[in-house]
Amino acid sequence: MKKIISILILLSFTIKAQDVKIGTQTWMSKNLDESKFRNGEAIPQAKTNLEWELAGRNKQPAWCYYENKEEKGTTYGKLYNWYAVNDPRGLAPNGYHIPTYEEWSSLTMYLGNTLYVGINAGMKSKTGWENDGNGTNESGFAGLPGGFRNEIGDFEDIGSYGEWWTSSENDTRRAWSRNMTFSDVWQAPSTGGIKRAGISVRCLRD
């Protein structure tokens, strides 16, 4: 019985340690690293440029590690195309969801500004950013520069750029995203906002 209680306590601590409360919201403090949908079905991994490009063209979900190196996932989590984000089987684990554009806006507004809340608001990690771009992480969000994978499968900008999907669609080709550079956080969609591209996911508590 004592062993079971200890395991439950450890599990509870582990779950809470992955979360950070910012204002009225509770965010994961790390990027998503799931290889299965909420219903247990596998999300296809696309390793080659061709596999990645075909998944996007066919509007099929896919994930990858940056440069297909598993050790990158330990730090940055996985990169997902938007078809994985929007899949009805559910990308976010139980108890979480992919935040909407409006929920991201609530986060940045709570931290003081709708557009520029990178270093000044402490959303960025203390280490890992190039070009003197490290932040204070005062918010606990711990944003890392995980880079992205473009629609034809090339990897870009790890160390200087991080981007996260929202669940909000922009048009038939794009979905809204948030990105963070070594100097700023923006709320506008960018190249990574193309649905076929692979970018990070940060989940929000229901």
Side-chain angles (χ1 to χ4, degrees):
M1 179 60 72
K2 289 183 179 180
K3 184 176 181 180
I4 293 174
I5 293 173
S6 298
I7 291 173
L8 290 173
I9 292 173
L10 178 61
L11 179 59
S12 175
F13 175 79
T14 301
I15 292 172
K16 290 180 180 178
Q18 293 175 349
D19 289 345
V20 57
K21 188 173 178 59
I22 307 175
T24 60
Q25 298 173 323
T26 301
W27 291 79
M28 280 188 174
S29 60
K30 293 183 178 181
N31 292 342
L32 192 65
D33 191 24
E34 291 286 338
S35 59
K36 294 182 179 180
F37 289 112
R38 188 181 300 178
N39 70 352
E41 294 183 33
I43 306 167
Q45 180 182 7
K47 293 183 178 181
T48 68
N49 284 16
L50 180 59
E51 288 175 343
W52 184 264
E53 185 174 4
L54 287 176
R57 287 184 180 276
N58 294 325
K59 300 182 179 181
Q60 295 174 337
W63 69 268
C64 66
Y65 295 115
Y66 192 92
E67 294 179 337
N68 298 308
K69 296 179 179 178
E70 188 171 353
E71 61 269 23
K72 299 285 188 183
T74 303
T75 301
Y76 301 106
K78 293 179 172 63
L79 301 176
Y80 301 88
N81 65 18
W82 196 74
Y83 302 110
V85 171
N86 194 47
D87 194 283
R89 289 170 287 186
L91 178 60
N94 284 321
Y96 296 88
H97 63 275
I98 310 300
T100 64
Y101 177 88
E102 289 76 17
E103 287 173 321
W104 272 97
S105 295
S106 295
L107 170 65
T108 55
M109 289 189 71
Y110 174 80
L111 294 173
N113 196 308
T114 57
L115 287 177
Y116 304 100
V117 291
I119 297 172
N120 292 337
M123 284 185 70
K124 299 172 73 174
S125 59
K126 294 181 179 180
T127 60
W129 288 85
E130 300 172 354
N131 303 316
D132 297 321
N134 292 322
T136 63
N137 194 33
E138 291 176 3
S139 69
F141 185 83
L144 283 166
F148 68 98
R149 190 174 195 175
N150 68 25
E151 57 190 312
I152 62 172
D154 296 329
F155 295 95
E156 301 182 40
D157 295 340
I158 197 169
S160 63
Y161 182 86
E163 187 163 10
W164 295 268
W165 284 118
T166 81
S167 60
S168 303
E169 189 174 27
N170 185 11
D171 54 36
T172 57
R173 188 167 181 257
R174 293 177 181 268
W176 291 94
S177 62
R178 287 296 183 100
N179 69 63
M180 190 183 295
T181 71
F182 63 91
S183 59
D184 299 313
V185 174
W186 295 78
Q187 67 177 1
S190 65
T191 302
I194 296 173
K195 294 176 181 178
R196 298 178 185 179
I199 63 177
S200 302
V201 169
R202 189 69 70 94
C203 295
L204 185 62
R205 273 281 186 185
D206 293 340

